[in-house]
Amino acid sequence: FSILNDNLIIKLPDYLDGIAPVYSILGKNKIDESIEKLFEITTKISLVPDVTVSHILKKDSYQIIESIDNFDYLYEIENLINLPGKQYKDKRNRLNKFSNTFGDRTTITHLEKLNMTQTNQALKIVDLWLENSINGTDYGMHETTAIKRILNDFNNLGLIFNEIKIDNQTVGFSI
């Protein structure tokens, strides 16, 4: 990473091939000037948050493409714990249905390291997800590639793996 005009510039390896660099900018200071400087070394800037885009003065000088597949969602922890109000009704209903159906048979284990069996089970779940939910779309293939890269190098990344089991069978996970 580096700082340019008090903005954070991040250079990441592409999550698909791990080689080609992806550049991002986060901040709100002299954004147009910073973007021009970045375009001296790259032809594309990705993963730019809305707050940064809102500070671009010459928006018509750039092709800005909103990618709904890359939206991130932030929730207040307290709201996820309590699921208050109408906006969380669907989540409450799904949680209650899951708890009533599988509650006593479900375990969640938090792991900092994965063994080969756990990694292979997670990879099978990813393949099943791709096959059943996304039907091989580019988005699904990209997501699958990124998740598999994380799983294959998990023990070196300092992440936490939450393994979800029903009847002692791994059925899902989160990282």
Side-chain angles (χ1 to χ4, degrees):
F1 75 94
S2 65
I3 303 295
L4 176 62
N5 295 322
D6 288 329
N7 300 302
L8 178 63
I9 307 299
I10 301 173
K11 178 182 176 185
L12 307 163
D14 183 271
Y15 73 95
L16 293 177
D17 66 19
I19 300 168
V22 174
Y23 290 89
S24 180
I25 181 170
L26 296 93
K28 50 187 179 179
N29 302 305
K30 299 182 182 176
I31 295 300
D32 291 83
E33 179 183 319
S34 300
I35 288 172
E36 289 303 318
K37 194 73 173 165
L38 275 174
F39 278 143
E40 292 176 11
I41 59 171
T42 188
T43 59
K44 181 180 178 183
I45 304 169
S46 301
L47 308 170
V48 180
D50 287 341
V51 67
T52 302
V53 172
S54 70
H55 283 82
I56 297 173
L57 300 176
K58 300 184 290 183
K59 287 185 178 68
D60 53 350
S61 297
Y62 311 106
Q63 182 181 18
I64 300 171
I65 301 170
E66 190 172 61
S67 174
I68 196 162
D69 292 335
N70 291 309
F71 283 178
D72 288 327
Y73 299 93
L74 299 176
Y75 293 98
E76 289 185 42
I77 292 172
E78 192 69 28
N79 286 347
L80 285 181
I81 292 169
N82 297 315
L83 300 174
K86 209 159 72 169
Q87 73 265 30
Y88 291 100
K89 182 180 180 182
D90 185 51
K91 288 189 187 335
R92 275 194 312 275
N93 289 342
R94 287 176 185 223
L95 178 61
N96 289 335
K97 183 177 179 181
F98 182 89
S99 293
N100 291 335
T101 306
F102 303 109
D104 294 339
R105 300 167 29 213
T106 303
T107 58
I108 299 174
T109 307
H110 310 289
L111 305 166
E112 293 183 13
K113 299 288 182 189
L114 297 179
N115 63 36
M116 189 56 70
T117 300
Q118 292 162 326
T119 300
N120 288 335
Q121 287 173 332
L123 290 169
K124 285 179 187 175
I125 290 169
V126 171
D127 287 336
L128 187 63
W129 171 75
L130 178 65
E131 182 181 313
N132 293 323
S133 299
I134 305 296
N135 281 329
T137 63
D138 284 345
Y139 171 71
M141 295 298 287
H142 292 180
E143 288 291 306
T144 299
T145 300
I147 293 168
K148 286 181 176 182
R149 286 191 63 222
I150 289 170
L151 288 170
N152 286 323
D153 199 32
F154 184 85
N155 291 339
N156 298 316
L157 297 174
L159 302 171
I160 296 175
F161 183 90
N162 301 295
E163 181 181 51
I164 303 162
K165 291 185 175 186
I166 297 175
D167 296 331
N168 214 26
Q169 176 77 25
T170 303
V171 296
F173 66 88
S174 70
I175 298 173

